[in-house]
């Protein structure tokens, strides 16, 4: 018996009415039941758009123009009534906040089941099953918006799996997970897929942690050859630039540390350890005790769209009145979307817009929360160069990242956190060489420790 096709594209084109360029241009592909397929390509090449066509979010729920044929389970996707096929094709979005509707984890899972018209008498059992299966039982009554980005990603995956789908669409599912949790997530997903036999279609820039999980790769657009990341040389000066004394919140224990002018520090640790909370406390975005000098810090949040206040990418980058706007647009590959609305570009491009705006702003201390998420090899390479240049001109950086290869290439020092506590500030080389210290903080040793250069192919 031939294996049935669950998704089939024939010459599919998609664009928005006010744009001349097709985001998807004559895409043809076929995905069979039970396959595990990864979609790759440069940032902005249409990967997320392709997923949205697969789950019928596009063009049904936007003003997009689409031509060509899309078949789901052997039927033209346009022939399905609203909601008819959605439970069979479940999606975990790149930004999990975009799909949450309820206050707590249990309520969110119950809401999903209610939309599927599941009988109330079996809801509690189904919720227990999926939370146990995903290792999230302790979060049953947790308030979703009080969870870390990585924890939210796992909750969103549980909400998709409770529908018992035939196809699971994943948009960079491990981008907000610490390396240890990411490996556990992949192993768990592999085991579950082997048991249930559902199809997995995932978007991913970094494939190193996935090992042999995927059966094949679909490349939307060829990646240009990008130089390998090389470890930067320290640019620290003797002058102190950032002084944090006894900063605390109800979750964050008293935290003190200092950074020198030109120092680049990576802030790392398990999901939920308090990294984003610390950055928000330093920026006075949440009530906190203690003192921070200087008071005015640059900040790029995990959800960059929270910063956007203008109607074009170029205006957003220039909003702070900084210099080198055109150069920044060029170097961060934003020139071709300069006139686009910042909310209309890809997730990776949104993040680069926020980074570009902050780098143009000229702050002496800049905090970045997961700047590598959604970035292709070219974007990561240019980001490293820009941070290095600014550091050599005296800027100081605190960068939250789960990308150990990027961390290895960029960091002078590493701030480690666990359970709301700063467990120490270390010289970067000491951390990379200490596997016990890494494992205690859910981190993995960077390959660059051995190779001295990092490939993002």
């Amino acid at each position: 018996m031939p294996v049935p096709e669950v998704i089939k594209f024939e010459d599919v084109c998609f664009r928005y009415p006010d744009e001349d360029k097709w985001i998807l241009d004559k895409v043809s592909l076929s995905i069979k039941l039970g396959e595990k397929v990864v979609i790759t390509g440069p940032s902005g090449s249409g990967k997320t758009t392709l997923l949205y066509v697969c789950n019928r979010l596009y063009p049904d729920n936007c003003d997009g123009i689409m031509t060509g044929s899309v078949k789901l389970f052997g039927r033209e996707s346009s022939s399905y009534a609203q909601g008819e096929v959605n439970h069979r094709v479940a999606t975990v979005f790149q930004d999990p906040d975009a799909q949450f509707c309820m206050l707590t984890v249990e309520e969110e899972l119950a809401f999903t089941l209610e939309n599927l018209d599941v009988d109330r008498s079996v809801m509690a059992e189904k919720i227990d099953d999926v939370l146990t299966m995903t290792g999230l039982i302790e979060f049953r009554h947790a308030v979703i918006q009080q969870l870390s980005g990585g924890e939210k990603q796992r909750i969103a995956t549980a909400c998709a799996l409770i529908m018992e789908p035939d196809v699971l669409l994943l948009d960079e599912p491990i981008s907000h997970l610490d390396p240890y949790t990411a490996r556990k997530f992949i192993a768990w997903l592999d085991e579950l897929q082997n048991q249930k036999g559902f199809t997995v279609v995932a978007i991913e820039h970094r494939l190193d942690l996935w090992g042999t999980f995927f059966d094949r790769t679909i490349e939307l657009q060829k990646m240009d050859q990008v130089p390998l990341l090389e470890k930067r040389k320290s640019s620290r000066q003797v002058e102190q630039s950032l002084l944090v004394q006894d900063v605390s919140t109800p979750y964050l224990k008293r935290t003190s540390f200092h950074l020198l002018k030109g120092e680049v520090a990576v802030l790392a640790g398990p999901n939920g350890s308090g990294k984003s909370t610390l950055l928000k406390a330093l920026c006075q975005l949440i009530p906190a005790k203690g003192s921070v000098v200087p008071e005015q810090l640059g900040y790029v949040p995990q959800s960059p769209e929270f910063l956007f206040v203008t109607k074009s990418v170029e205006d957003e980058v220039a909003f702070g009145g900084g210099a080198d706007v055109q150069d920044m647009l060029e170097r961060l590959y934003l020139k071709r979307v300069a006139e686009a609305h910042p909310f209309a570009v890809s997730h990776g491009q949104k993040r680069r817009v926020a980074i570009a705006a902050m780098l143009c702003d000229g702050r002496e201390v800049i905090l970045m929360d997961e700047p590598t998420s959604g970035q292709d090899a070219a974007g990561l390479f240019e980001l490293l160069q820009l941070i290095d240049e600014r550091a050599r001109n005296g800027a100081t950086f605190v960068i939250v990242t789960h990308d150990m290869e990027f961390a290895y290439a960029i960091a002078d020092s590493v701030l480690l956190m666990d359970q709301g506590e700063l467990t120490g500030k270390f010289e970067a080389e000491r951390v990379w060489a200490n596997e016990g210290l890494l494992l205690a903080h859910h981190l993995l040793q960077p390959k660059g420790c051995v190779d001295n250069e990092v490939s993002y192919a």
Side-chain angles (χ1 to χ4, degrees):
M1 290 285 290
V3 179
E5 293 174 331
V6 292
I7 299 171
K8 186 177 180 65
F9 281 40
E10 292 182 332
D11 291 330
V12 174
C13 300
F14 180 91
R15 67 177 174 84
Y16 295 109
D18 55 348
E19 294 183 4
D20 296 327
K21 188 177 184 297
W22 293 100
I23 299 172
L24 300 177
D25 190 4
K26 294 187 177 179
V27 173
S28 295
L29 58 87
S30 174
I31 298 172
K32 296 182 182 297
L33 180 66
E35 275 197 295
K36 294 177 285 188
V37 177
V38 61
I39 309 292
T40 65
S43 178
S45 62
K47 300 183 298 296
T48 297
T49 298
L50 186 145
L51 284 199
Y52 288 177
V53 172
C54 289
N55 65 16
R56 298 192 69 236
L57 189 62
Y58 288 176
D60 289 2
N61 295 285
C62 70
D63 295 327
I65 297 169
M66 193 178 83
T67 63
S69 169
V70 177
K71 289 183 179 178
L72 302 176
F73 310 105
R75 280 176 54 186
E76 285 289 338
S77 66
S78 57
S79 71
Y80 289 99
Q82 281 278 36
E84 183 182 356
V85 79
N86 290 64
H87 71 285
R88 298 186 67 186
V89 182
T91 308
V92 179
F93 294 92
Q94 198 170 51
D95 179 6
D97 283 321
Q99 65 192 91
F100 294 136
C101 301
M102 308 303 288
L103 181 66
T104 70
V105 172
E106 182 179 49
E107 290 169 345
E108 188 68 33
L109 291 166
F111 181 71
T112 303
L113 294 174
E114 286 171 353
N115 282 325
L116 298 176
D117 202 24
V118 173
D119 192 278
R120 282 186 173 273
S121 63
V122 298
M123 278 190 184
E125 182 181 352
K126 284 184 173 291
I127 291 172
D128 280 340
D129 288 347
V130 79
L131 289 176
T132 301
M133 180 175 64
T134 54
L136 295 169
I137 198 74
E138 65 182 290
F139 294 98
R140 182 174 190 137
H141 302 293
V143 176
I144 292 173
Q145 292 309 320
Q146 292 179 355
L147 300 177
S148 72
E151 289 163 345
K152 289 177 182 177
Q153 195 82 0
R154 293 165 63 199
I155 298 300
T157 305
C159 290
L161 291 171
I162 203 171
M163 294 191 285
E164 300 180 4
D166 296 306
V167 179
L168 181 63
L169 307 177
L170 302 169
D171 197 348
E172 294 205 51
I174 63 171
S175 61
H176 296 302
L177 301 182
D178 64 66
Y180 175 81
T181 303
R183 282 219 170 149
K184 286 183 63 178
F185 174 89
I186 293 163
W188 159 78
L189 185 65
D190 192 33
E191 181 181 355
L192 188 65
Q193 192 275 340
N194 286 331
Q195 291 173 5
K196 303 289 186 180
F198 54 77
T199 303
V200 176
V201 182
I203 291 171
E204 191 59 74
H205 283 293
R206 289 295 311 277
L207 297 175
D208 53 321
L209 288 175
W210 289 89
T212 60
F213 177 88
F214 294 109
D215 299 319
R216 63 187 174 102
T217 300
I218 296 175
E219 192 173 34
L220 279 193
Q221 186 179 318
K222 274 284 185 188
M223 295 281 293
D224 293 332
Q225 191 64 36
V226 178
L228 299 179
L229 291 185
E230 293 184 3
K231 185 168 176 57
R232 59 179 288 274
K233 295 179 181 178
S234 178
S235 54
R236 284 179 291 194
Q237 303 174 24
V238 295
E239 182 183 344
Q240 188 170 275
S241 179
L242 174 66
L243 177 61
V244 177
Q245 290 184 307
D246 296 328
V247 169
S248 65
T249 72
Y251 176 72
L252 186 69
K253 297 173 185 175
R254 291 205 310 179
T255 300
S256 299
F257 66 91
H258 74 274
L259 298 179
L260 300 177
K261 193 171 184 178
E263 185 169 0
V264 179
V266 162
L267 177 58
N271 290 123
S273 59
K275 302 182 296 295
S276 296
T277 299
L278 176 58
L279 292 195
K280 291 174 184 176
L282 298 182
C283 293
Q284 304 174 46
L285 294 176
I286 57 175
K289 298 178 180 177
S291 65
V292 180
V293 180
E295 291 186 358
Q296 300 299 318
L297 308 178
Y299 175 56
V300 179
Q302 201 172 88
S303 298
E305 54 267 27
F306 290 153
L307 291 181
F308 298 157
V309 293
T310 72
K311 295 183 178 180
S312 79
V313 166
E314 183 173 350
D315 289 346
E316 196 64 43
V317 174
F319 183 77
D324 303 323
V325 171
Q326 295 305 316
D327 180 61
M328 195 65 65
L329 290 170
E330 186 74 40
R331 293 186 62 179
L332 286 175
Y333 304 97
L334 296 169
K335 200 75 171 178
R336 69 182 184 88
V337 295
E339 301 305 316
H341 197 289
F343 281 96
V345 299
S346 76
H347 183 78
Q349 289 167 332
K350 286 178 184 176
R351 198 167 294 274
R352 294 202 302 278
V353 171
I355 291 168
M358 200 51 62
L359 289 175
C360 281
D361 196 58
R363 301 293 175 97
E364 61 179 296
V365 179
I366 299 176
L367 315 180
M368 294 182 172
D369 199 347
E370 296 282 7
T372 64
S373 177
Q375 304 309 314
D376 58 27
L380 286 171
F381 180 82
E382 202 58 55
L383 177 60
L384 186 143
Q385 305 309 311
L386 284 167
I387 291 172
D388 183 51
E389 290 171 16
R390 293 305 166 92
R392 294 192 182 286
N393 288 326
T396 298
F397 290 85
V398 180
I399 301 172
V400 172
T401 183
H402 292 305
D403 186 330
M404 289 295 94
E405 273 53 67
F406 187 83
Y408 173 78
I410 199 74
D412 296 312
S413 56
V414 179
L415 299 161
L416 292 177
M417 292 197 72
D418 190 22
Q419 298 183 8
E421 182 177 12
L422 184 69
T423 56
K425 180 192 174 189
F426 305 88
E427 285 296 304
E429 294 307 316
R430 179 183 168 192
V431 176
W432 311 141
N434 190 329
E435 292 190 49
L437 188 64
L438 288 167
L439 186 60
H441 293 84
H442 284 197
L443 306 174
L444 299 176
Q445 190 174 47
K447 294 194 300 292
C449 287
V450 178
D451 302 336
N452 292 321
E453 55 186 17
V454 183
S455 172
Y456 278 79

